[in-house]
Amino acid sequence: MQVTLNALPASLAEFRNLSLNTPDEVVAGFLCALNLYVKNPNEGVEAMNLLRGPRPMTPYDSQFLRDRLRGKEYLPLAYFAGATPQNSYVPTQPYVLNVLADPRPQDIEPGYLRLFIATPGADSPRPIKLRQKPSTGEWFLWEYSSPLSGIRIPAAQDPWA
């Protein structure tokens, strides 16, 4: 599955215009929300609330984002095509995200979906878990800590490079 964006949202208003109708679009929206968070934490939290649906961000969730993204402004863009440690994770445009299917879907409980995203900054793809709201069929972010874990730092910031 592939999601292509001509531009990344620069504001919450632009984020609200994203299509978030399919699981892969929700995953792309997650990276857009993180990128928005780096620029404006309040708007980034509101974007995350939209993605989380009936389960809004708690103060702990906000602190988790702040801790994981502090000093790693490159992290949200690292999963888009063309982003590498060598080019400081600057993706090519338009922004293309390859979303990988779960190789073991039988391991996930009904009503949930696990998808994966990859970056050249990590040795293996990172899972994101979504939950479907039965009454509407909408998909929402459920578990997303793995893409926020450490990746290789950009070569320009690496004293050993």
Side-chain angles (χ1 to χ4, degrees):
M1 299 170 283
Q2 199 173 70
V3 178
T4 301
L5 303 168
N6 291 322
L8 300 180
S11 68
L12 183 59
E14 289 180 15
F15 183 86
R16 290 181 191 276
N17 291 327
L18 283 179
S19 175
L20 300 171
N21 298 317
T22 64
D24 47 315
E25 289 174 341
V26 172
V27 172
F30 165 65
L31 295 176
C32 290
L34 293 181
N35 192 55
L36 187 57
Y37 182 90
V38 167
K39 294 169 179 29
N40 182 325
N42 291 332
E43 288 195 352
V45 165
E46 287 305 311
M48 288 294 291
N49 281 335
L50 293 171
L51 293 170
R52 290 170 55 111
R55 193 176 60 123
M57 298 275 285
T58 65
Y60 172 80
D61 295 323
S62 296
Q63 179 68 39
F64 181 78
L65 280 185
R66 186 170 45 254
D67 291 347
R68 294 300 182 270
L69 293 171
R70 184 180 299 127
K72 297 178 184 159
E73 292 78 15
Y74 54 85
L75 189 65
L77 301 180
Y79 293 92
F80 288 99
T84 67
Q86 292 73 28
N87 71 5
S88 297
Y89 295 110
V90 176
T92 54
Q93 292 185 27
Y95 299 91
V96 176
L97 179 66
N98 291 304
V99 181
L100 309 171
D102 188 347
R104 297 192 49 85
Q106 67 273 19
D107 292 346
I108 196 107
E109 56 271 25
Y112 293 85
L113 179 66
R114 186 173 46 211
L115 297 170
F116 290 80
I117 52 177
T119 173
D123 293 332
S124 60
R126 306 288 171 90
I128 295 177
K129 193 174 185 181
L130 306 177
R131 183 175 183 181
Q132 191 172 37
K133 185 175 178 182
S135 61
T136 63
E138 295 171 282
W139 288 97
F140 294 101
L141 275 181
W142 191 254
E143 211 295 310
Y144 49 85
S145 62
S146 189
L148 290 166
S149 60
I151 61 172
R152 291 177 191 87
I153 63 173
Q157 296 177 17
D158 188 353
W160 295 97

